[in-house]
Amino acid sequence: MKVFCGRANPTTGSVEWLEEDEHYDYHQEIARSSYADMLHDKDRNIKYYQGIRTAVSRVKNRGQKAIVLDIGTGTGLLSMMAVTAGADFCYAIEVFKPMADAAVKIVKKNGFSDKIKVINKHSTEVTVGPDGDMPCRANILVTELFDTELIGEGALPSYEHAHRHLVQENCEAVPHRATVYAQLVESRRMWSWNKLFPVRVQTSLGEQVIIPPSELERCPGAPSVYDIQLNQVSPTDFTVLSDVLPMFSVDFSKQVSSSAAFYSRQFEPLASGQAQVVLSWWDIEMDPEGKIKCTMAPFWAHSDPKGLQWRDHWMQCVYFLPQEEPIVQGTTHCLVAHHDDYCVWYSLQKTSPEENGRVHQMRPVCDCQAHLLWNRPRFGEINDQDRTDQYAQALRTVLTPDSICLCVSDGSLLSMLAYYLGAEQVFTIESSAASHKLMKKIFKANHLENKINIIEKRPELLTTADLEGKKVSLLLGEPFFTTSLLPWHNLYFWYVRTAVDQHLKPGAVVMPQAASLHAMVVEFRDLWRIRSPCGDCEGFDVHIMDDMIKVSMALSNSSFPHGPSPGLGGRGVCRELFSFGQKSHVLPVLGPVLQPLI
């Protein structure tokens, strides 16, 4: 059976409906998964194996059979480890059917079919009893339900249900415990990923400052965590304001609650500054004694910085406080970690919430539109004053007092630069309601609501009336478009340039005038693992998973009828140049040109 899938076409910016195989979503999920990256994580695998061995031994030493429940089994690796360690039987739960089917095959290939039962259900649907999926409750709980935020994949509700319905009281759990850590820092660079700073423009009349609307300044920001490899962030990019604080722990061997909660930690600042950002990570202890530990700590908080395990499936987190707050060395503050079923967020308070009677705060939600329109890197771009200065310098070379400008980027400040630098009239196209609403706020805050005309429609629908009967002498864009998933999708600007050609004056200037795509064949020390076949993992054959991913990638990755561009097929640095200066219906050619880069 065929299904229709809607998606944004990055070339035209429009939503298109394409006919796909009924298993299209499955293949997309598998092709973009991090299964192989997790299996290449040697530190993770070894620690889990050690933890499982000790858990099975403790149960056996009590004279009991070792019955294992493995939630989120994936390839079945942890279940196979458990059987090898002496477990009597394993129930391996996997809700994703293609992965469950692969686990059945992998378990069979490795000779464990008589000791492992793969159950293709969500763990909350598993039944226990004579006619159930499991005849009795398990006494060992093995899971790998964690993401960068620890709880973002629903670990807490899954554990809560498992303890109520699937495992024995005070069962052995691998991992046994998790602890979340936080460190408060001041970082103008990271803060620029969350707030709009004043933007300065040098004009012939002096300096103009683009100020953010009050709604943006008050907005607590996006509620989602920002995953990041903190080991790749320069220590000069932030000032440490607190020690590393253990915020809260979860004991997985006991009943777990998924109810909303908060945890506060008092601290004395290490330095005075602006509290802006919380850096966070977690570790898991595989055994009750805490001797077998797997940590996500960055190098400055790691017990063995030289022995860091690189991993991309688990990283560190950056959280932004709702507002920056000044703190002074020698005073006492409370950092508060809040969480619900799936998210963690932080606040800074003068006293403990328990002392002043405050209750758990609701998760912050963006109400200014900016965090819905701009992602964190986009905030960073707009706040990059050097970048703004270069755009202003380029605009000065082409603007004249009679310039009629049309800006075609989403949520861009270029239209404001053009106005401040002396254009006669400026129009900006904002295709989405969100970007239109946001730009109206920014224009109003800077008293430009009657100076710059916002056109809320798609570029190909632009009419002469929208431009008040005028012809455009300068077409400009950054370019940045919210429909762009990959950098080269911003070549949508090329499509726009063609779509509005009838509205351009003869000899009109198009800026940028050209774009080039660069590719380089490199060797990564670590990153290659996210797509590398695993083959053998801790002595278990998982080739079946490798083959499954290979098939899904072949079905999911774009293919183009014209074949690859010969100019991009070799090693070394490759470059293709695209000119925006001429009207051109060249978009079908972009497929083969870009294919080797995707």
Side-chain angles (χ1 to χ4, degrees), residues 404-567:
I404 306 298
C405 300
L406 176 63
C407 181
V408 290
S409 294
D410 291 341
S412 172
L413 303 187
L414 278 187
S415 59
M416 303 177 73
L417 265 63
Y419 176 80
Y420 285 136
L421 293 173
E424 178 183 329
Q425 194 163 5
V426 180
F427 300 88
T428 181
I429 292 179
E430 299 294 344
S431 300
S432 72
S435 62
H436 180 265
K437 185 176 181 180
L438 173 62
M439 294 313 295
K440 281 187 67 175
K441 291 179 182 178
I442 295 175
F443 291 167
K444 184 177 181 180
N446 290 275
H447 309 292
L448 297 177
E449 63 268 37
N450 298 319
K451 308 292 186 181
I452 300 174
N453 299 282
I454 305 179
I455 303 169
E456 188 182 354
K457 59 172 55 177
R458 295 188 53 75
E460 62 269 24
L461 301 178
L462 189 68
T463 66
T464 302
D466 294 323
L467 299 172
E468 301 177 1
K470 298 178 180 178
K471 289 287 187 178
V472 173
S473 58
L474 174 60
L475 177 68
L476 67 155
E478 298 198 38
F480 170 83
F481 302 98
T482 55
T483 53
S484 299
L485 302 177
L486 298 168
W488 47 86
H489 290 166
N490 287 310
L491 287 174
Y492 169 56
F493 182 78
W494 201 350
Y495 172 86
V496 172
R497 185 259 174 274
T498 300
V500 302
D501 186 72
Q502 61 180 311
H503 302 292
L504 303 183
K505 283 184 179 179
V509 176
V510 179
M511 198 178 89
Q513 295 187 353
S516 58
L517 296 179
H518 301 258
M520 179 181 290
V521 177
V522 299
E523 178 181 352
F524 287 106
R525 187 184 67 184
D526 298 301
L527 190 60
W528 58 272
R529 293 174 184 157
I530 66 174
R531 289 292 177 267
S532 175
C534 186
D536 178 275
C537 183
E538 302 305 316
F540 302 101
D541 187 345
V542 294
H543 280 93
I544 290 170
M545 182 208 66
D546 295 334
D547 295 340
M548 177 184 69
I549 294 175
K550 184 177 179 180
V551 169
S552 291
M553 289 184 68
L555 291 171
S556 299
N557 289 347
S558 299
S559 59
F560 300 95
H562 303 291
S565 167

Side-chain angles (χ1 to χ4, degrees), residues 212-425:
S214 58
E215 294 99 318
L216 269 71
E217 294 187 321
R218 294 195 305 264
C219 181
S224 56
V225 66
Y226 193 12
D227 297 5
I228 193 170
Q229 293 280 9
L230 282 180
N231 292 315
Q232 297 177 5
V233 175
S234 171
T236 60
D237 280 338
F238 60 91
T239 300
V240 172
L241 299 179
S242 78
D243 289 318
V244 176
L245 306 172
M247 296 305 299
F248 64 91
S249 295
V250 183
D251 186 337
F252 297 124
S253 68
K254 299 177 181 178
Q255 179 64 56
V256 173
S257 172
S258 64
S259 300
F262 66 88
Y263 308 87
S264 64
R265 292 290 180 268
Q266 283 194 339
F267 71 97
E268 289 192 9
L270 300 177
S272 299
Q274 292 292 120
Q276 299 169 326
V277 175
V278 175
L279 310 181
S280 184
W281 58 89
W282 49 265
D283 63 32
I284 45 178
E285 296 170 358
M286 300 297 182
D287 61 323
E289 295 78 22
K291 295 179 180 179
I292 309 169
K293 181 181 290 188
C294 184
T295 181
M296 308 307 120
F299 67 87
W300 66 85
H302 202 285
S303 58
D304 181 20
K306 293 184 178 179
L308 278 174
Q309 166 72 47
W310 185 90
R311 46 175 69 95
D312 202 55
H313 56 100
W314 294 332
M315 290 183 276
Q316 295 83 41
C317 305
V318 167
Y319 295 93
F320 302 98
L321 294 178
Q323 299 295 330
E324 62 180 349
E325 299 183 39
I327 60 172
V328 179
Q329 191 174 14
T331 60
T332 300
H333 293 265
C334 275
L335 184 64
V336 185
H338 310 259
H339 77 75
D340 55 20
D341 282 8
Y342 295 95
C343 292
V344 178
W345 61 96
Y346 288 86
S347 65
L348 187 65
Q349 300 179 12
K350 297 281 185 170
T351 58
S352 169
E354 295 92 338
E355 294 175 5
N356 59 28
R358 292 187 187 179
V359 297
H360 176 70
Q361 294 182 0
M362 296 298 292
R363 189 196 315 178
V365 176
C366 170
D367 56 14
C368 74
Q369 300 292 317
H371 300 89
L372 305 179
L373 183 68
W374 299 332
N375 57 23
R376 271 72 180 248
R378 178 59 175 165
F379 266 98
E381 285 182 351
I382 294 174
N383 286 322
D384 185 342
Q385 187 63 52
D386 290 339
R387 183 175 181 271
T388 298
D389 292 342
Q390 290 191 36
Y391 274 114
Q393 182 179 349
L395 277 169
R396 290 189 194 99
T397 65
V398 296
L399 277 174
T400 61
D402 61 349
S403 290
I404 306 298
C405 300
L406 176 63
C407 181
V408 290
S409 294
D410 291 341
S412 172
L413 303 187
L414 278 187
S415 59
M416 303 177 73
L417 265 63
Y419 176 80
Y420 285 136
L421 293 173
E424 178 183 329
Q425 194 163 5

